[in-house]
Amino acid sequence: MAAILFGSQVATADLDPLVIKGSKFFFKSNGTQFFMKGIAYQQDFSANGTISGGTKYTDPLVDATTCGRDIPLLRELQTNTIRVYAIDPKQDHSKCMQLLQDAGIYLIADLGEPTSSINRDTPEWTLELYARYTSVVDALQKYSNVLGFFAGNEVSNSPNNTQASAFVKAAVRDIKAYIKQKNYRPIGVGYATNDDETRTNLANYFDCGIPEESIDFWGYNIYSWCGDSDIVKSSYEERTEEFSTYNVPSFFAEYGCNVNKPRQFTEVGALFGSKMTPVWSGGILYMYFEETNDFGLVTIDSNNKASKLPDFTAYSKQIASVSPTGVNSASYTPTNKPRSCPTIGSAWEASNTLPPSPNQNICSCMVQSLTCTAKSDLTDDSIKTQFAFVCDPNNGDNCDAIDKNATSGIYGAYSMCNPLDRLSKAFDTYYKYQVAKNPANTSPCDFKGAAQKQSPKTSSQCQAIVSQAGPAGTGVVSSTPTGTGSTSSTSTSKGAASSVIVPDFNFAILRLAACVATAAFIGSGVVLL
């Protein structure tokens, strides 16, 4: 496997770059294996990466005073890596990032944020999400101590929502391609999973297939070592055996069960001991700040002063007692191979065929080619109502171009466009069907004032795109126009409409219901969000 380089050699103050070789991290300068002694670092986030105080979050890497307060304490705990769950890409992170670099601390950052990430219940991979994820990459790629990015955190957590993993894997694919396209230094993109019945299929799915689509590293959120457990009772030994053949670096992206308080952190000795270090590259303890979930190492008072908790002292003692040893890069020859993809069935619902890559030019070309389009000032509620009507199978096959089925691997060519553009495509399909059926119909492009007519046009640059998608919008667009979701948006969507979640219709089921139900029942069967 080709080495992935982390870090930069431009500035003399840069940290020693890290490289991935096989299933391990190494320091570039001397080939010494790198083990994460990490801590999760973000206030107002609950265990497993969920928000604990509504939808707003505090970017932990903006306030240099706060970073200056905490970094000496992190170093006291021998921390060499922190994980942050959400940053604001519009803010300046340079001071905190420099303080982290001066302290020898690397960063792993999640790409989403509470209101803009892939949702397991209504999964999508859209222009808006692509813009969010790439903006985080843009904001952080310039710092040499950025170790990597997580494209998702515990998105699929049971067999009946594993189809969401196809959208996360599409994000992995597209963020890796974006980093390469922008000529940024190589930075790894991975995924963090939880410890449940889906763990094996998830690990296989994100690792299988071509390298352009698979993860560069694997994070495992595991809280099974509670109290003074051991490597067998905690399942650490079993998990280590499972990952002994994994071909990319794996590490604990969260750990630190708090069932027994104060925590003693006896798992630290096992994680960094001789039985586990051949497989695991260390871990990230959850977490630095004390919140209502009672996982913290320090409390922050009203004067912004940090005070150590008993967990701080206990963890400090344990982490100071370990000195993991690994192999040297020069004497290490990787032998592990990518996993085989899981089979579709009751335990796994995600196809190996991934959703299309978001591309604003494709959506813009589509909208320009339409006769009937959605008005740009529609509210979220109006968009939802119109989708419920126009995508009802009793009103025709109007939404195939925007449909998505991650189990069958069939996606409409425009399923990644923003909601208003998708609604325009559905409106236009309905309009053309109605006109063809009844040329005397004078108002099929009205939708109670939600739509308007325009003069369609297809520029020479758009001809191939529209042709490949086909009139129904169900073809595969192989043309790759210039521009990206984060840099060249010319969408018709405005205001809050860009954040609305399009109803995740199962069109096949709806059509079956339409065939077997009575007319009265069908009349009341409009799907609402």
Side-chain angles (χ1 to χ4, degrees):
M1 176 180 178
I4 293 181
L5 174 66
F6 298 102
S8 169
Q9 302 180 73
V10 175
T12 57
D14 285 348
L15 290 178
D16 189 8
L18 301 177
V19 298
I20 287 176
K21 182 179 180 182
S23 61
K24 305 180 188 302
F25 295 103
F26 296 97
F27 288 104
K28 182 177 184 296
S29 65
N30 58 18
T32 301
Q33 189 174 347
F34 173 81
F35 294 94
M36 293 183 193
K37 295 181 178 179
I39 293 180
Y41 181 74
Q42 185 143 13
Q43 286 184 280
D44 299 324
F45 266 78
S46 299
N48 306 327
T50 57
I51 195 73
S52 62
T55 58
K56 295 184 178 180
Y57 63 93
T58 300
D59 186 331
L61 303 178
V62 170
D63 187 344
T65 300
T66 299
C67 292
R69 176 199 66 197
D70 295 332
I71 288 174
L73 294 175
L74 290 169
R75 286 303 302 144
E76 189 175 333
L77 297 172
Q78 299 191 20
T79 306
N80 63 13
T81 307
I82 63 169
R83 177 184 178 183
V84 299
Y85 294 92
I87 66 119
D88 182 352
K90 298 179 181 178
Q91 299 297 318
D92 178 14
H93 304 95
S94 58
K95 293 181 180 178
C96 282
M97 291 303 295
Q98 186 61 54
L99 290 172
L100 289 169
Q101 179 159 272
D102 292 343
I105 297 176
Y106 294 91
L107 171 72
I108 296 181
D110 288 49
L111 293 172
E113 54 101 347
T115 61
S116 188
S117 58
I118 297 170
N119 185 308
R120 67 172 67 98
D121 297 319
T122 53
E124 298 183 304
W125 178 233
T126 62
L127 283 166
E128 289 75 31
L129 291 176
Y130 182 70
R132 159 68 196 186
Y133 287 25
T134 54
S135 68
V136 174
V137 173
D138 290 339
L140 294 179
Q141 56 80 27
K142 56 191 170 186
Y143 303 113
S144 64
N145 52 331
V146 173
L147 191 156
F149 300 109
F150 280 128
N153 182 73
E154 299 189 3
V155 179
S156 294
N157 63 359
S158 69
N160 65 2
N161 60 34
T162 51
Q163 70 276 4
S165 290
F167 298 90
V168 181
K169 193 168 182 179
V172 171
R173 172 199 65 198
D174 292 340
I175 297 305
K176 290 177 67 168
Y178 181 78
I179 291 171
K180 185 176 182 179
Q181 171 200 336
K182 297 288 286 187
N183 291 318
Y184 292 153
R185 62 183 179 87
I187 306 174
V189 182
Y191 178 77
T193 187
N194 55 316
D195 183 27
D196 61 32
E197 60 184 314
T198 65
R199 75 171 75 87
T200 300
N201 279 334
L202 282 167
N204 293 346
Y205 183 72
F206 280 95
D207 185 51
C208 74
I210 60 176
E212 290 80 6
E213 296 180 350
S214 59
I215 43 99
D216 297 315
F217 53 78
W218 186 249
Y220 191 24
N221 301 340
I222 180 169
Y223 292 86
S224 60
W225 186 303
C226 298
D228 193 17
S229 187
D230 61 48
I231 195 171
V232 176
K233 289 187 293 184
S234 65
S235 78
Y236 276 25
E237 184 176 66
E238 185 178 354
R239 300 290 86 80
T240 300
E241 176 63 25
E242 289 174 358
F243 279 88
S244 63
T245 58
Y246 216 54
N247 70 307
V248 298
S250 53
F251 55 90
F252 286 7
E254 290 176 3
Y255 74 98
C257 173
N258 69 345
V259 171
N260 304 100
K261 293 285 289 183
R263 293 184 286 179
Q264 297 303 310
F265 302 105
T266 52
E267 68 265 46
V268 169
L271 177 59
F272 294 96
S274 59
K275 291 184 179 180
M276 295 186 68
T277 51
V279 174
W280 303 97
S281 295
I284 299 171
L285 181 73
Y286 193 86
M287 72 111 44
Y288 181 78
F289 296 101
E290 176 73 343
E291 303 287 350
T292 56
N293 56 20
D294 206 26
F295 275 90
L297 302 179
V298 303
T299 58
I300 309 298
D301 64 21
S302 58
N303 295 317
N304 207 32
K305 179 182 178 181
S307 299
K308 300 175 184 177
L309 292 170
D311 279 11
F312 184 103
T313 303
Y315 176 70
S316 177
K317 178 181 178 181
Q318 294 290 347
I319 200 69
S321 68
V322 299
S323 182
T325 57
V327 298
N328 190 275
S329 176
S331 59
Y332 168 62
T333 301
T335 57
N336 294 345
K337 305 296 182 183
R339 298 282 179 92
S340 298
C341 296
T343 302
I344 297 290
S346 61
W348 188 255
E349 298 180 344
S351 169
N352 299 328
T353 301
L354 304 181
S357 300
N359 190 304
Q360 181 59 58
N361 286 2
I362 293 175
C363 302
S364 297
C365 286
M366 176 268 290
V367 172
Q368 292 169 17
S369 72
L370 306 179
T371 300
C372 182
T373 64
K375 290 183 177 178
S376 62
D377 59 353
L378 296 183
T379 65
D380 286 0
D381 287 342
S382 178
I383 292 174
K384 294 174 185 177
T385 299
Q386 294 300 333
F387 269 122
F389 170 78
V390 76
C391 290
D392 183 342
N394 299 296
N395 294 322
D397 297 333
N398 304 315
C399 293
D400 290 350
I402 62 173
D403 191 12
K404 53 190 184 300
N405 189 321
T407 301
S408 66
I410 298 174
Y411 311 92
Y414 309 116
S415 59
M416 49 74 188
C417 298
N418 69 59
L420 208 57
D421 289 353
R422 280 180 274 177
L423 185 59
S424 290
K425 178 59 180 175
F427 276 177
D428 190 72
T429 302
Y430 177 91
Y431 162 79
K432 290 174 178 174
Y433 173 75
Q434 295 297 326
V435 169
K437 185 171 67 172
N438 181 12
N441 190 340
T442 59
S443 59
C445 184
D446 181 70
F447 297 94
K448 296 183 178 181
Q452 61 189 3
K453 294 180 71 174
Q454 68 176 17
S455 297
K457 58 182 179 180
T458 303
S459 68
S460 58
Q461 295 177 328
C462 291
Q463 288 176 356
I465 293 171
V466 174
S467 175
Q468 290 172 11
T474 55
V476 176
V477 179
S478 59
S479 298
T480 306
T482 58
T484 67
S486 63
T487 59
S488 62
S489 179
T490 56
S491 169
T492 60
S493 176
K494 295 181 180 179
S498 63
S499 62
V500 69
I501 298 295
V502 177
D504 191 13
F505 297 99
N506 188 322
F507 295 111
I509 292 176
L510 288 174
R511 290 183 186 116
L512 177 61
C515 292
V516 301
T518 66
F521 182 80
I522 293 173
S524 63
V526 176
V527 180
L528 298 176
L529 186 68

